[in-house]
Structures are given as structure tokens and as C-alpha cells.
Amino acid sequence: MGRSSAIKFTTITALLLSSVSPIWASSHREAPAITEKPKVDNTDVYAFRSYEPGRAGFVTLITNFQPFQEPGGGPNYYTMDPDAIYEIHIDNNGDAVEDLTFQFKFTNTLRDGKGITLNIGGKELPVSLRNTGQINGDNDPDLAERETYSLTQVTGNRRSGQRVSVASGLPKPVDNIGNKSVPNYPAYASQFVHTVTLPGCATQARVFVGQREEAFAVNLGPLFDLVNLDPINIAQSDANQELIGKKNITSIAMEVPIACLTGTGNGVIGVWSTASLPQARILRPTASYAAPENHGGAFVQVSRLGMPLVNEVVIGLPQKDLFNSAKPTQDSVLADFVTNPTFPAILEKLFGTKAPTNFPRNDLVATFLTGIATLNQLRTVTASEMLRLNTAIAATPQASQSTFGVAGDDLAGFPNGRRPGDDVVDIVLRVAMGRLCHPVPISGKPTDLGLCTPAQAPSGLLAFTDGAPTNATRTMNAFPYLNPALRGAPRPQTQP
């Protein structure tokens, strides 16, 4: 990679990490246009070696949509957009182009075309609610609306590559309305973990789509308010949580055999997720359930996410929608945002913590754009924004995982992929302020990564934090890992 390219790549990462400091939500309502389309707002992506006991040969991929779901947000709750395509992309050779795509398409149907009806004074009329009784399984007679989805695997280009239908008509559980409607929601939702056969894959995969509890730890309001907290001395407390224990999300989760993802590469995979909508959408003056609008034309990407926090706080406001529509191969057009990262300078002004002086920020380039040599670089290095996971590194058991991932001497964690228990807010805050310019523990031994020097990052060893704690044991130790959705009623509640 030439010097000019290295600077360009560094530039992108510099901003990716430096501006990342006020890490609001990983990617919740992060761009102007996506606020108008919450059903396709991609909020978090996770990619990690499965640590469920007995599943060592698998990788788990999770992508979340529809942020800030209120438990009990009825009466329509949070179905997916039937006009959209939701996708998980895999690059296994390092050219920043998808080699595999798992494509999800949703369908909503009313029971008997009308929902549930009641005879009122001799007239048969559909009720206004999603259910009129207790729901115990798929296609329950008391459920007025059923949601299903198809799964297609595309090899090569996501639109022109080889398409193979994996499954169709897979049911999705209804959201957690409350314990009168769904008395045992965890048991009910577990019925919707499906086993599927992927083309060319000798071992079966698993898939789940449904509402789950948010797993992203963040002290949201104060961070948005010009970092209205002390990022060095704030105490860790669940009182600082604004998503965990309070909000739900809709998850698309897959567990895929490692050998079916790595192809002929070196065992490292790049992972990102997107959502796309038809190019033309025309509202109908006489809307109906089946046809509220007319749409057509090619699918256009409107949401994109790989590494956490990039579009949230790195990309400039006028270019945020551009980032959501761009492919990883086009990331260089946003290089100017990384050349002169602003957030470390803001922290310096607010708190006196010295911002890093190493320009270009090679430490950020390695973390966000190229992978770290000897850890998670693909065989071919193409600077681009995506999660990079070295599938050869064994999973760390749940109870032994470090919240700080690689920086906590746990090579199976962020930025080597991302697990639900990785505190990416605190990690990125520290990396943005130069943590990787100082030796990091690897197998218990302080190791200089050679990306920058301690003198260039005077604040690099400070324990920056937003005060919202997390760890791996907050979520399940089995697929699909994220906890069952918080119930609508009664509230408050205590989740395991």
C-alpha cells in the first residue's frame, strides 16, 4: 500500500475513532434520511466465534434494526418492512466486495385476509388488535397478523450473483406484547430458532429473527449533551443505562459453520449489514393494508453498518446519508473526515485531556479500516469500513470474556469482531484518545503494536468511560445470545 493510500486510509480511521468518542448509540437514528425510515435503520452488527458450549465450529452473525423500541409499543408493534431487503454481507478475500450475502425478505399477512373478526350486531367486523387471546405458537388462531420471511444466499455480487433460495415462509414471533398475551415469552420465542441448509455447506446453520432486548450499553443523553459527564471519573452504574433494560430491538441472527464463510481466504472475514428499498415509492390516496403505496425500480441501499459508531459520530452531517448508501469500496470519498479528527480536540478543550498528535492516525486505520496485522487482517488489505473477524481465534467462554476485548487481553473480542458483551463505547473512547499508542497486553505480555508512540498520546492510558457498564453475562450463553424482548406489561420488570 503506497504512502498516499495509507494516509487516505488513516484519515478515514482517524475520524472513525476520534470522533467516535461521544458514542451515542452504535448507529441509532444516525443520519437525517434514516430517521424517516425506522424499519430499515440498522443499529448494531455483531460477528464472533460462537461461545455457546458445543458450538465451537460456528460463527454467529447478528444485525439489529428499528431502534428505541418501547416495550408495549402497540397496537401495531414493530414488524419489518415488507418492501425492503435486509442483508448480511461477507468479504472473505479482502477486496472490500461481498463474496457471500444472506438476504432476508419479509411478508405480513392478515388471518383470512381480514385479521380476526367478531360478529357485532349481525355485522362481521375485523378487530383493531394484533391478538384477541393468548398466543402460544406460530399461526396461533388468536393472532390476527402473521409475519414470515425468506432467506436467500447470494454468491458474488448481491444483485447479479448466483442466488439460491435457502428457506421461505419461516415464521417470526410476535413482539412481547405482555404476559397476558404471551405468558412465557422466552419459551415462545425459542420455538422460532430454525435450522437451515445453506448451499455448499455440509453442516446446517441456524437462523432467528425476532424482537430482543437491547444489548448496547450507552449513557445516551449526557453524551449527546456535549459530553455532559466526566469521562474519567464517572462511576459505573446501571443508572447510566439508557438502552439496556429499557428498550427492545429487532434482531436478524444467523449461526453459520466457519468453513462455509471463509472461502479460500486466510480465515479472516469482513462483515457488514445493509438494508435497501425500491427506488420509486408513491403514496396511494386510497391506501389499504395490502397496498399502502406503489413502489418499483431497482433496490437502493439506505442503511449500512459494520464497525460501531462510525456514521454516528465520525462522518459529517452533510455526508451521513451518503455513507449509508455507499459500498465499502467507495469509502475513500469520505477520507477528509478522518484527516483531521475533531473529537479528541473537543475532549481536550472540555476536560484538558491531551488529544493524540500522530497524524495520520495509523492506530485508527488499523482498527477500523485495514485490520490489525497479526490479529485480523484479511489476506488482501483493502482499506474499507467493516467488522473484521479472525475465525481461527478460538472463542472465549462467556464467564471469562473481557469487556474490553483485545485491549483486555481477550483476542476473541472487539475489534476482532464484536460480541454482545464488548463495551465498544469505552473501548473506542480509549482508542480514539491513543490507547493503541501504548503497549497493550497480549497473552499477558505488554506489546508495542508499532502504530504510534506513547509520547504522541499523552492521555492514552486514561480510563475513558461513559459510565454505562456491560459484560458478557448480561446476555444469554446460547444462540441467539441477545435476551428475549422486554415485555409490554406489567412493568417494571427484571430481566435475567
Side-chain angles (χ1 to χ4, degrees):
M1 180 168 57
R3 183 176 182 275
S4 62
S5 296
I7 292 174
K8 182 180 290 184
F9 301 156
T10 295
T11 294
I12 297 175
T13 297
L15 186 64
L16 295 178
L17 263 178
S18 55
S19 297
V20 149
S21 300
I23 304 157
W24 318 135
S26 184
S27 188
H28 300 53
R29 291 174 54 84
E30 83 292 345
I34 203 64
T35 63
E36 303 172 10
K37 309 173 185 71
K39 286 180 179 285
V40 290
D41 187 352
N42 195 343
T43 68
D44 287 283
V45 173
Y46 301 91
F48 53 93
R49 281 280 300 266
S50 297
Y51 49 87
E52 176 183 344
R55 307 295 289 184
F58 293 82
V59 162
T60 294
L61 309 168
I62 303 172
T63 179
N64 291 341
F65 290 87
Q66 299 198 62
F68 303 113
Q69 293 182 19
E70 290 288 344
N76 292 298
Y77 300 96
Y78 301 95
T79 58
M80 300 294 265
D81 189 338
D83 297 333
I85 290 178
Y86 300 83
E87 294 171 305
I88 300 173
H89 308 284
I90 307 294
D91 171 20
N92 55 32
N93 59 20
D95 60 1
V97 176
E98 64 271 12
D99 298 295
L100 283 175
T101 294
F102 300 108
Q103 187 181 100
F104 294 78
K105 191 82 170 61
F106 292 85
T107 301
N108 304 321
T109 55
L110 295 175
R111 177 170 298 279
D112 300 324
K114 298 179 181 179
I116 294 174
T117 61
L118 294 177
N119 190 295
I120 308 297
K123 294 186 177 182
E124 196 74 16
L125 298 173
V127 303
S128 61
L129 304 177
R130 292 287 302 279
N131 64 301
T132 56
Q134 193 177 101
I135 302 168
N136 295 301
D138 174 45
N139 207 17
D140 191 287
D142 286 315
L143 185 63
E145 183 182 43
R146 185 169 182 255
E147 189 172 13
T148 60
Y149 61 95
S150 64
L151 170 58
T152 300
Q153 179 176 302
V154 185
T155 303
N157 182 280
R158 67 183 80 172
R159 298 292 174 261
S160 61
Q162 180 183 2
R163 301 172 56 84
V164 178
S165 174
V166 174
S168 61
L170 294 176
K172 172 180 172 289
V174 70
D175 294 346
N176 195 353
I177 299 168
N179 67 6
K180 187 174 182 180
S181 292
V182 192
N184 187 341
Y185 193 82
Y188 162 75
S190 69
Q191 302 174 50
F192 297 83
V193 174
H194 306 291
T195 300
V196 296
T197 300
L198 300 177
C201 190
T203 304
Q204 287 188 308
R206 292 193 288 184
V207 62
F208 171 85
V209 179
Q211 190 182 49
R212 309 304 280 180
E213 181 194 354
E214 263 279 18
F216 183 68
V218 64
N219 194 354
L220 197 62
L223 285 174
F224 271 123
D225 186 23
L226 299 178
V227 194
N228 193 358
L229 53 82
D230 184 340
I232 304 300
N233 298 309
I234 185 173
Q236 299 290 312
S237 171
D238 275 348
N240 296 325
Q241 301 284 6
E242 296 200 34
L243 295 180
I244 292 178
K246 298 178 180 180
K247 305 293 184 184
N248 290 325
I249 206 75
T250 299
S251 288
I252 297 174
M254 296 187 69
E255 188 185 52
V256 183
I258 293 172
C260 303
L261 294 174
T262 53
T264 59
N266 64 352
V268 177
I269 58 173
V271 181
W272 71 102
S273 176
T274 62
S276 300
L277 288 169
Q279 188 172 30
R281 308 186 82 174
I282 302 174
L283 298 179
R284 292 168 57 95
T286 54
S288 65
Y289 175 89
E293 61 190 21
N294 296 324
H295 58 81
F299 279 95
V300 176
Q301 181 179 303
V302 296
S303 184
R304 167 193 169 190
L305 184 63
M307 293 289 282
L309 313 169
V310 173
N311 205 16
E312 193 83 18
V313 293
V314 175
I315 306 301
L317 184 61
Q319 283 76 26
K320 287 179 180 292
D321 295 320
L322 173 62
F323 178 86
N324 267 338
S325 65
K327 296 180 179 180
T329 52
Q330 300 169 314
D331 284 346
S332 62
V333 301
L334 300 169
D336 288 346
F337 289 109
V338 186
T339 307
N340 299 296
T342 59
F343 202 77
I346 293 174
L347 283 184
E348 180 175 314
K349 181 178 180 179
L350 291 174
F351 304 104
T353 53
K354 297 297 182 180
T357 60
N358 56 303
F359 299 106
R361 290 289 302 271
N362 289 314
D363 52 333
L364 305 185
V365 172
T367 302
F368 281 85
L369 296 178
T370 65
I372 298 172
T374 74
L375 176 68
N376 64 343
Q377 274 191 358
L378 285 144
R379 176 172 293 169
T380 299
V381 179
T382 303
S384 50
E385 188 279 307
M386 61 181 71
L387 276 175
R388 289 173 171 84
L389 172 67
N390 187 341
T391 64
I393 295 176
T396 302
Q398 184 191 49
S400 303
Q401 291 179 22
S402 169
T403 296
F404 296 103
V406 173
D409 202 7
D410 181 358
L411 298 184
F414 184 80
N416 181 33
R418 180 187 175 191
R419 303 167 302 193
D422 292 337
D423 193 342
V424 294
V425 170
D426 286 4
I427 295 171
V428 175
L429 273 170
R430 298 176 191 193
V431 173
M433 294 304 292
R435 179 64 184 88
L436 299 186
C437 295
H438 298 258
V440 296
I442 297 179
S443 300
K445 179 182 178 181
T447 303
D448 183 355
L449 299 179
L451 299 169
C452 41
T453 68
Q456 293 172 319
S459 302
L461 293 180
L462 294 177
F464 291 90
T465 179
D466 70 335
T470 191
N471 61 71
T473 61
R474 282 183 176 270
T475 55
M476 301 185 342
N477 196 28
F479 183 80
Y481 292 96
L482 302 189
N483 290 335
L486 300 167
R487 65 177 180 254
R491 292 187 286 180
Q493 60 193 296
T494 300
Q495 283 291 104

